[in-house]
């Protein structure tokens, strides 16, 4: 998966999020079908967490 596609999906999740500080699984349900399918197909848990907004604090 290209970095450009990853950033596009991540930005979309951030834009749809009601709480950008506490993003998570709810972003999966608001994502377009194509993006949700990509997120669900990712096997690397670090990438999946990044796409959904779970990222360790600083």
């Amino acid at each position: 998966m290209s970095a450009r596609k990853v950033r596009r999906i991540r930005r979309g999740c951030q834009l749809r999020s009601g709480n950008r500080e506490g993003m998570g699984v709810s972003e999966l349900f608001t994502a377009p079908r194509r993006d949700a399918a990509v997120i669900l197909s990712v096997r690397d848990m670090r990438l999946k967490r990044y796409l959904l907004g779970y990222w360790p604090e600083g």
Side-chain angles (χ1 to χ4, degrees), residues 16 22 51 57:
R16 287 184 300 277
L51 289 170
E57 299 291 325

Side-chain angles (χ1 to χ4, degrees), residues 2 4-7 12-13 15 18-20 28 32 36-37 39-41 43-44 48-49 55-56:
S2 71
R4 180 177 287 166
K5 185 173 187 176
V6 169
R7 285 191 306 268
C13 284
L15 291 173
N19 179 12
R20 290 187 186 175
L28 178 62
I39 292 169
L40 290 172
S41 71
R43 293 187 182 263
D44 182 355
K48 190 173 283 205
R49 283 192 300 260
W55 203 245

Side-chain angles (χ1 to χ4, degrees), residues 25-47:
V25 175
S26 62
E27 280 68 28
L28 178 62
F29 296 107
T30 61
R33 286 183 182 209
R34 179 176 283 161
D35 291 352
V38 169
I39 292 169
L40 290 172
S41 71
V42 169
R43 293 187 182 263
D44 182 355
M45 289 306 294
R46 293 173 297 175
L47 179 56

